[in-house]
Amino acid sequence: MSMIFVGGSREIFELPEPAITRIGAIAAAEHGVLIGDAPGADAEAQGLLAGYGYEHVGVFHAGKEPRNNLGDWAAYHVPAPEGAEGYWVHAAKDGEMARRADFGMMVWDGASPGTAVNVFRLAIANKPCVIYDLARGSMATTYNVEDWCAMLRHVDPDIRRQAEARMTPDERLALPG
C-alpha cells in the first residue's frame, strides 16, 4: 500500500473535479492517505474521504486534538517545537507527512507558501507530487527540486520568498545555488 500525502491551501473550499476523481482513485486502489487537520483543502478532502467511508486515513495534527477529523480516523500528534508560533506550529507535522509519504497530491491556490513548501519537501526526497494549480487552471507533477522551481516560475516572486522563509535551514540547503 502506497502512502499519499494529500493537502492543499487553506483558502480552498471546493476541490476541483480532477482532484475529486484522483482522491476517488486513491481510495479505490486502497492507498493510505496522510492528511493534515487544517480548514480548506485538507478538510474538503477529509469530507470526501469520509463520504466514501474510506478507512485508510491518518490525520496529522500539532494541537492537542485535530481541528478536523471528519472520518474519526487515527490521529497522529506531532507537537510543535517549544515556543513555535504561526506557521512553525504546523511545520513538524507537515514534514512528518512528507517523510512518511511515497507520493503527494496538493490542491494549490497558486499563492499559499505553505502548500508550496509541502511540495518542496516531497521534491527534496524525489517523491512525485501531483499539483492542481487552481490559479492557473492546470495540473502538473513535480518529481524533484528543479520541477518545484519550474512550478514557481509563474507566480509572484514574493510567494517563493515566503515559501523559502518557511523552510528549515536543512531544507534551504536543497535549493539550487
Side-chain angles (χ1 to χ4, degrees), residues 80-86 88-89:
E82 187 70 32
E85 294 180 357
W88 293 105
V89 170

Side-chain angles (χ1 to χ4, degrees), residues 15-22 132:
L15 299 176
E17 192 57 45
I20 291 169
T21 301
R22 177 141 330 217
Y132 295 95

Side-chain angles (χ1 to χ4, degrees), residues 16-173:
E17 192 57 45
I20 291 169
T21 301
R22 177 141 330 217
I23 291 170
I26 289 168
E30 297 189 3
H31 293 304
V33 175
L34 311 171
I35 195 163
D37 65 334
D42 289 3
E44 292 300 309
Q46 280 192 26
L48 187 60
L49 290 160
Y52 294 150
Y54 195 61
E55 297 179 3
H56 304 298
V57 178
V59 176
F60 287 70
H61 62 100
K64 291 186 188 234
E65 297 294 327
R67 295 170 288 180
N68 291 289
N69 186 348
L70 304 178
D72 198 29
W73 298 292
Y76 299 91
H77 180 238
V78 181
E82 187 70 32
E85 294 180 357
Y87 169 77
W88 293 105
V89 170
H90 302 285
K93 159 191 69 79
D94 292 345
E96 182 63 14
M97 287 186 286
R99 188 188 69 73
R100 291 186 186 202
D102 298 303
F103 305 96
M105 188 204 102
M106 300 287 157
V107 182
W108 189 40
D109 63 3
S112 165
T115 302
V117 172
N118 284 334
V119 173
F120 184 75
R121 289 182 175 122
L122 293 160
I124 290 171
N126 298 308
K127 296 177 181 181
C129 182
V130 174
I131 302 106
Y132 295 95
D133 182 342
L134 300 187
R136 298 186 65 215
S138 65
M139 189 221 40
T141 303
T142 56
Y143 297 93
N144 53 44
V145 172
E146 291 76 26
D147 292 343
W148 181 82
C149 291
M151 176 185 101
L152 293 185
R153 276 193 201 110
H154 305 286
V155 301
D156 183 314
D158 194 45
I159 293 168
R160 180 170 174 153
R161 281 191 289 280
Q162 290 175 35
E164 289 179 13
R166 293 177 180 215
M167 293 175 185
T168 66
D170 286 344
E171 289 167 346
R172 272 190 223 107
L173 291 175

